[in-house]
Amino acid sequence: PPLKIGGTLENRPVVNEEDLKLLIHSGHEIASHTLEHHNLLDVFNNKGEKAVRDELVQSKVSLEALLGTNINSFVFPFINDNNSPRLRQMASEFYSSSRITTENIVLNELPIKDPFSIMGVAVTQDVPMVSYNELLEEVIGSDAWLIEVFHLVSSDGGNTYECNLVSSPDNELANWLPSISQSGIHQP
């Protein structure tokens, strides 16, 4: 969220402007994520459509001004809570695609038929490794797009960022990640 860049959100540091520009320069797309990380379904139910549109527009405009690039995609906050056809339709008024993150294992079949129903899977330690291995096998050689969502957090007050799943050398997921690069799956 633009108002949180370089600050904190939920007692965690948020990436700063310089790091975002480095990501853009490295070929990554930066997507909008609301202005202040509000649950848009709550905003819709309590304040109405105009308030949701304001979050969508102001987030896009703020990021574009800050980063000097077009912001074409929107990522809904709060995992599945915002998986609403009406919210996706509203996002389509300002963006060329949107994504919902889910805790369920999901693949996006290619070609994408609805760019506002793209799903990403939140990679957590709660998902058994056998599920990731089965998913990896399913993706190899298929016409599917797997979006893995890792939230970066800091355990030292914001001095360094680390993926909370890979921070332990004996973590089963940490040992699995290198197999992705050896699988032939494209990684941006």
Side-chain angles (χ1 to χ4, degrees), residues 129 165-179:
M129 283 310 304
L165 299 174
V166 187
S167 59
S168 168
D170 62 342
N171 184 303
E172 194 177 7
L173 182 58
N175 296 324
W176 174 77
L177 291 174
S179 68

Side-chain angles (χ1 to χ4, degrees), residues 49-70:
E49 287 188 15
K50 182 182 180 323
V52 171
R53 284 189 175 88
D54 287 347
E55 280 278 339
L56 294 168
V57 170
Q58 290 176 18
S59 178
K60 178 180 176 64
V61 169
S62 297
L63 281 175
E64 289 177 342
L66 181 71
L67 301 174
T69 191
N70 291 331

Side-chain angles (χ1 to χ4, degrees), residues 55-116:
E55 280 278 339
L56 294 168
V57 170
Q58 290 176 18
S59 178
K60 178 180 176 64
V61 169
S62 297
L63 281 175
E64 289 177 342
L66 181 71
L67 301 174
T69 191
N70 291 331
I71 303 297
N72 300 312
S73 298
F74 183 79
V75 178
F76 287 93
F78 292 94
I79 310 280
N80 279 327
D81 289 355
N82 288 286
N83 193 359
S84 155
R86 183 68 183 125
L87 291 178
R88 290 194 306 269
Q89 185 279 322
M90 291 170 71
S92 75
E93 297 171 18
F94 310 104
Y95 299 93
S96 58
S97 68
S98 69
R99 187 187 80 224
I100 298 285
T101 303
T102 178
E103 293 175 328
N104 301 319
I105 301 292
V106 63
L107 295 176
N108 297 281
E109 291 189 27
L110 297 174
I112 299 294
K113 292 177 179 67
D114 179 0
F116 295 93

Side-chain angles (χ1 to χ4, degrees), residues 149-160:
V149 181
F150 294 85
H151 280 264
L152 297 180
V153 298
S154 172
S155 59
D156 62 0
N159 295 317
T160 59

